[in-house]
Amino acid sequence: EATAGPVEETFSDYVLFVPGESGYALSEGEGLAPHAGAMTEVDGIPFRVLKVGRSPLPEDRRRCVFLEAA
């Protein structure tokens, strides 16, 4: 009888932690989360991915992409 190996979780949507003039805002991204060091845009504004971690929302299993101004 064949046994399956460990199941690797993949995340197809993610949360963006976006810095702004009046603090931070959360936004949603679709697709695979960008990696640390990657460049991305939010509302036409360029940002660099500082790190990728857990979502700050309770019981949210999506990854969180923490951004910094580019």
Side-chain angles (χ1 to χ4, degrees):
E1 179 177 323
T3 58
V7 175
E8 181 177 320
E9 292 187 54
T10 58
F11 297 90
S12 60
D13 293 321
Y14 52 93
V15 177
L16 292 161
F17 199 77
V18 186
E21 291 183 23
S22 61
Y24 287 88
L26 291 177
S27 184
E28 293 184 327
E30 294 181 350
L32 296 176
H35 58 83
M39 296 297 294
T40 191
E41 286 189 6
V42 177
D43 297 330
I45 302 170
F47 290 93
R48 180 176 296 107
V49 177
L50 183 61
K51 68 177 183 175
V52 179
R54 300 177 74 181
S55 171
L57 302 172
E59 299 188 32
D60 186 353
R61 296 183 52 132
R62 295 176 293 176
R63 305 301 291 160
C64 183
V65 176
F66 294 86
L67 303 176
E68 66 179 352

